[in-house]
Amino acid sequence: MAMKSYKHELDELEDVDQTYEVIKRREQLQHKYDHIAVDHRVRILRRKPTYTSVNYETFSYTTKRSTIHVTLKKHSYRNAMYNMAVGNNVNLFSEFFYALRPVVLADWRKANLLIRIFYVARTPIVIICAIYIPVVDYEMDKNGWSKLLNCLHIIINPAITIVLGAALIFRDKSRLWYSNIPDASIYGLYSFVLTIPISVFTFFHSRTSAPPAYHCLYTIMNLTGSMFLTFQCAAEISMIMDVCGHILQVPSNFMGATIKSISNSIADLVVNTSLALLGYEKMAYAATIGSAFCALILTTTSVIAGKIAIGKSVTAQSMAGNYGENAYILMVMGILSTLLWTAVLNYNARRSVGLFSMAIYLLYLVFAVLIRAGYIHQFTYDDYLVDAYEN
């Protein structure tokens, strides 16, 4: 009943003039509503214990209710600070610098020394991401709108994406792609012909107290910028690992089966972890399994089709290498274990399931290292030995 009364009063306050007293009252009610709504995002699961006891017939534990999400009203946060009595550019620069802050003050006060060192170390990256990627979050006041910064995003985001994308795609393979940035910068300048007029129009058409109606279009730049940074960072890590393996004279097949496979999966790990933290863990888990199968099928068939197209012979043994059979057996073990826990736990995953899946992958790495060191034999066909006296 308390939630319904708070929600009803919040809906009534949306239709009145947004004075200072009304805004403060809405903030208080919203804080109380969010505090109570947390209890509705928790589900109590009851199971019979593994031991027999008279006093304890069942035991229960709580988990986040991921299938139920609180319905958001865009206008409740969008117009939280809307005020027609002030000018269009009030607090323009203060909001700009506030949006570029690398650390939230409340988090800094609660953090210990190690966390503060981490905050300081990531400051340049946070500022670069804030300048490059616009924020569109319907759970934030004004949906993350910062007038001056968002107007600059219209100019900066497409220019950087075009320049770096051209440097990556149209590059000389014998040179690092960084060296092609000066030559590709002219394409970013071409984009100013279109982006600068749009940015000027947005600046004079919008207000600092509320985002414009077309603020949702910023999700396009948010998507392209986030994907570009994530996958490019993962590609750079993969390249660094490849160089380290070449310097240390590690065989390429071992690097591809262990280190490079991990580095190539960093982008998927970041995206799926972000989805899980936002409450979409089912989507993240489906992407974890589905993307791996899709990548395995597409990459394998593409390599086979490419080799056949250029006239090379392809065999299953040459495709699998020294670690292919090992990876296949442990992958089947992972799939069967997933089917097993889904049946046993009634599709309610627990932390132990994640640890068990990690243990299977660690077992694969242990096998790969032992095969590389020569302590055990790989799952491949042995060469036939011919008797020397047979001829």
Side-chain angles (χ1 to χ4, degrees):
M1 293 299 294
M3 286 187 63
K4 292 182 178 180
S5 61
Y6 289 151
K7 191 63 178 176
H8 180 69
E9 190 172 353
L10 283 171
D11 295 337
E12 289 180 349
L13 291 177
E14 290 183 4
D15 300 329
V16 301
D17 295 335
Q18 300 298 312
T19 61
Y20 178 78
E21 291 77 10
V22 173
I23 294 175
K24 294 298 291 184
R25 178 58 180 168
R26 287 183 71 255
E27 292 178 354
Q28 295 175 359
L29 291 174
Q30 189 66 45
H31 177 73
K32 294 179 180 179
Y33 179 83
D34 295 338
H35 180 72
I36 299 176
V38 173
D39 297 333
H40 289 260
R41 301 182 187 183
V42 175
R43 178 172 50 185
I44 299 176
L45 300 176
R46 298 184 181 275
R47 295 181 58 198
K48 293 183 178 180
T50 55
Y51 55 87
T52 58
S53 176
V54 178
N55 297 327
Y56 300 96
E57 296 181 355
T58 61
F59 74 94
S60 62
Y61 60 94
T62 60
T63 181
K64 289 185 178 180
R65 191 189 296 267
S66 59
T67 56
I68 297 179
H69 298 276
V70 178
T71 304
L72 295 176
K73 289 189 175 182
K74 299 180 182 179
H75 297 287
S76 61
Y77 289 95
R78 179 179 181 271
N79 301 323
M81 299 182 181
Y82 183 73
N83 191 357
M84 286 292 295
V86 298
N88 293 344
N89 299 321
V90 63
N91 299 325
L92 180 67
F93 291 98
S94 61
E95 288 187 354
F96 173 77
F97 291 109
Y98 182 78
L100 292 178
R101 72 193 190 282
V103 184
V104 179
L105 185 58
D107 296 338
W108 178 266
R109 290 174 177 173
K110 293 185 295 184
N112 55 24
L113 180 60
L114 294 178
I115 300 298
R116 289 184 178 184
I117 293 174
F118 169 73
Y119 285 155
V120 174
R122 73 169 190 177
T123 296
I125 301 176
V126 174
I127 294 177
I128 291 174
C129 292
I131 295 175
Y132 176 53
I133 302 175
V135 177
V136 181
D137 190 350
Y138 294 120
E139 294 184 358
M140 295 176 59
D141 290 336
K142 299 190 300 182
N143 302 153
W145 169 257
S146 177
K147 180 177 178 178
L148 182 58
L149 181 60
N150 286 130
C151 290
L152 293 176
H153 281 145
I154 300 176
I155 302 174
I156 297 174
N157 183 277
I160 294 179
T161 303
I162 291 173
V163 170
L164 297 183
L168 282 169
I169 298 173
F170 306 103
R171 72 180 190 274
D172 187 1
K173 303 299 182 180
S174 61
R175 298 168 55 191
L176 292 174
W177 68 274
Y178 307 103
S179 59
N180 295 330
I181 292 179
D183 298 333
S185 60
I186 187 64
Y187 299 105
L189 296 177
Y190 291 156
S191 67
F192 290 166
V193 178
L194 181 63
T195 57
I196 289 179
I198 297 176
S199 178
V200 173
F201 169 79
T202 304
F203 183 83
F204 287 103
H205 182 264
S206 60
R207 305 174 61 88
T208 56
S209 58
Y214 45 82
H215 184 227
C216 59
L217 297 178
Y218 278 83
T219 55
I220 300 174
M221 293 186 290
N222 184 289
L223 176 63
T224 56
S226 300
M227 291 181 59
F228 185 83
L229 282 182
T230 302
F231 288 97
Q232 183 54 35
C233 291
E236 289 298 316
I237 294 174
S238 178
M239 184 64 66
I240 292 172
M241 294 296 103
D242 198 4
V243 172
C244 293
H246 181 73
I247 294 174
L248 298 176
Q249 297 182 353
V250 180
S252 59
N253 56 356
F254 178 77
M255 290 292 296
T258 55
I259 305 299
K260 289 191 66 176
S261 62
I262 297 175
S263 59
N264 290 332
S265 302
I266 291 178
D268 295 334
L269 178 63
V270 172
V271 174
N272 295 335
T273 304
S274 301
L275 287 174
L277 292 176
L278 291 174
Y280 301 97
E281 53 267 22
K282 291 184 178 180
M283 184 186 299
Y285 195 80
T288 302
I289 299 178
S291 63
F293 275 107
C294 183
L296 179 64
I297 294 172
L298 289 179
T299 54
T300 304
T301 53
S302 299
V303 172
I304 293 175
K307 287 188 175 182
I308 294 176
I310 61 178
K312 291 185 177 181
S313 60
V314 181
T315 61
Q317 186 176 0
S318 64
M319 291 294 297
N322 294 333
Y323 309 95
E325 295 290 339
N326 181 32
Y328 175 75
I329 292 173
L330 289 172
M331 184 186 68
V332 173
M333 289 178 56
I335 296 173
L336 293 178
S337 64
T338 302
L339 295 176
L340 179 63
W341 71 254
T342 52
V344 172
L345 299 179
N346 195 21
Y347 298 93
N348 293 313
R350 303 178 68 178
R351 293 183 180 91
S352 57
V353 174
L355 294 176
F356 182 75
S357 301
M358 294 179 185
I360 293 178
Y361 187 72
L362 290 177
L363 183 63
Y364 162 73
L365 294 178
V366 170
F367 268 88
V369 172
L370 293 178
I371 292 172
R372 170 71 180 87
Y375 291 107
I376 61 176
H377 192 275
Q378 62 268 21
F379 292 101
T380 55
Y381 291 103
D382 291 326
D383 296 332
Y384 288 101
L385 297 178
V386 179
D387 190 357
Y389 297 100
E390 197 173 78
N391 296 326

